[in-house]
Amino acid sequence: MHILVVSRVSIPAKDRTLPAWEYLRGLGHTVTVEHPDSVPASERPDALISMGVSIMDETFRALDRFPGVPLFAYNWDIYEWIWEPGQGVKVQAKHPSRQGEYDYVRYGELLKQASEVWVPSVCTGRRTTQWYGLSNWHVILSACPWWDWPEHDIRDDGYALCTLREIPDPWWGKFEQACTELGIPYRCTRHEVSYREYQEAVAHCRFLCAPLYELSTGGLSLMEGYYHGKPVLLSDSEWNGARDYMGDRATYFRHGDFSDFKDKLLRMFSDPPHLSAPRCRQWITDNFSDRRMVEDMLGRIQATCTAR
């Protein structure tokens, strides 16, 4: 099978999904990770994989160049705050803190051309149905981009860590507020540090926290930290996709209950769960490898193409 992957690496940029495509090649498939215009018409693929809204234009181009080839679109996230009601229809919200946001209305037109929409969590699938009226979605849990760090330097420097990118979520800022009121040292990297500095922040924190109302995965940093034996505190919001990943391995607070959030933060800071790092690593590598993610994707492609 020849699969054309429309991905950020083709623009080009660093793409953490490259090991996944190498594994797919290792299974004997032809995998092209290029801009669609770089693929000769004679090399018509059997399937297209689009890896998100950021390469929407390139995906439309791939559909133009290879009409009739089934598209599998990985819809990483589609949040409530992106939209606002408008005279009986849904229109794209223009949030002042998100200048340059993607055109999610147009993205919906792309998703409607997909044979199947892949989502990283159930809540993202529900939003896909809510905003676009699509029910042809299937959960494929993301791989975790874990990384190793010198064991002697995995330590507890006594601070809580939130690595999430700033978004206009109704609970943005509650983490900083609660930590300040409780006197808990904290860090928020917000994707504003180098990758090395980010890794160091995870390796040296006491625990990680993803308190927001809506997140597609909760942030894969949660699993990166858990890989090193770091505990995780989460909102139990039905729209926090981290529940699909961490399950009962995380500690949860009642979403919307700031008092309970502070209580759970203080408990986590004062008496964090003791985790076995080797067992955490084993669980992550067994369940969230590139191999598992690619095998899930390939299974869906084969099932869908066979049914056509």
Side-chain angles (χ1 to χ4, degrees):
M1 179 178 289
H2 178 197
I3 300 172
L4 171 59
V5 179
V6 186
S7 180
R8 265 294 168 190
V9 72
S10 64
I11 292 182
K14 181 180 178 182
D15 188 334
R16 73 162 191 82
T17 62
L18 281 177
W21 313 135
E22 286 302 321
Y23 175 73
L24 193 53
R25 290 188 181 101
L27 295 177
H29 298 280
T30 300
V31 183
T32 304
V33 188
E34 295 288 349
H35 191 286
D37 286 343
S38 301
V39 182
S42 59
E43 297 180 11
R44 180 182 174 88
D46 299 300
L48 304 172
I49 296 179
S50 176
M51 293 301 293
V53 65
S54 65
I55 38 77
M56 178 167 46
D57 290 339
E58 290 78 12
T59 305
F60 274 118
R61 179 60 180 156
L63 290 170
D64 288 340
R65 290 212 66 211
F66 303 107
V69 174
L71 168 67
F72 298 86
Y74 203 108
N75 177 26
W76 282 102
D77 45 35
I78 177 71
Y79 298 137
E80 182 179 66
W81 54 261
I82 292 170
W83 307 87
E84 63 185 9
Q87 298 181 355
V89 299
K90 296 293 179 181
V91 297
Q92 189 170 353
K94 294 178 172 57
H95 199 284
S97 66
R98 295 286 290 192
Q99 294 299 318
E101 188 56 82
Y102 297 112
D103 184 348
Y104 283 94
V105 174
R106 184 166 179 250
Y107 187 51
E109 297 307 310
L110 174 65
L111 294 182
K112 290 173 184 177
Q113 297 188 51
S115 296
E116 187 167 86
V117 177
W118 295 336
V119 292
S121 57
V122 172
C123 64
T124 309
R126 289 165 57 205
R127 288 293 189 211
T128 301
T129 299
Q130 180 180 6
W131 299 130
Y132 300 131
L134 298 175
S135 58
N136 63 330
W137 53 268
H138 186 87
V139 175
I140 294 184
L141 296 177
S142 173
C144 172
W146 68 77
W147 36 268
D148 290 313
W149 192 265
E151 288 192 25
H152 70 271
D153 196 36
I154 301 293
R155 63 176 194 253
D156 176 4
D157 280 358
Y159 60 85
L161 177 65
C162 178
T163 66
L164 299 173
R165 187 190 304 273
E166 184 174 358
I167 60 176
D169 184 274
W171 261 58
W172 185 262
K174 297 289 188 181
F175 172 73
E176 296 95 317
Q177 179 186 346
C179 286
T180 299
E181 292 180 7
L182 293 168
I184 294 176
Y186 68 89
R187 288 193 62 184
C188 295
T189 56
R190 300 189 188 183
H191 295 234
E192 295 173 352
V193 299
S194 70
Y195 188 50
R196 173 75 179 185
E197 290 170 325
Y198 157 76
Q199 291 175 309
E200 185 175 56
V202 173
H204 295 171
C205 74
R206 179 164 296 181
F207 64 94
L208 287 100
C209 182
L212 300 190
Y213 167 71
E214 187 165 8
L215 292 163
S216 58
T217 65
L220 296 179
S221 57
L222 299 177
M223 292 192 293
E224 292 177 274
Y226 191 82
Y227 177 84
H228 294 293
K230 302 293 183 177
V232 171
L233 176 63
L234 299 172
S235 162
D236 71 354
S237 164
E238 63 178 329
W239 297 103
N240 192 326
R243 299 171 66 171
D244 292 12
Y245 291 81
M246 301 304 302
D248 61 5
R249 291 173 178 266
T251 299
Y252 295 87
F253 69 91
R254 292 190 300 274
H255 187 76
D257 187 335
F258 190 61
S259 178
D260 187 60
F261 178 46
K262 290 175 65 175
D263 179 64
K264 294 300 195 319
L265 266 177
L266 189 57
R267 291 186 188 185
M268 184 71 82
F269 180 76
S270 303
D271 187 22
H274 178 71
L275 303 178
S276 166
R279 290 182 180 178
C280 291
R281 291 191 192 100
Q282 191 63 54
W283 182 72
I284 291 290
T285 54
D286 285 348
N287 293 282
F288 298 103
S289 65
D290 291 297
R291 173 177 179 173
R292 192 274 308 153
M293 186 178 183
V294 162
E295 287 179 344
D296 289 352
M297 288 178 169
L298 185 60
R300 296 307 305 170
I301 291 174
Q302 291 174 334
T304 303
C305 291
T306 299
R308 289 170 65 91

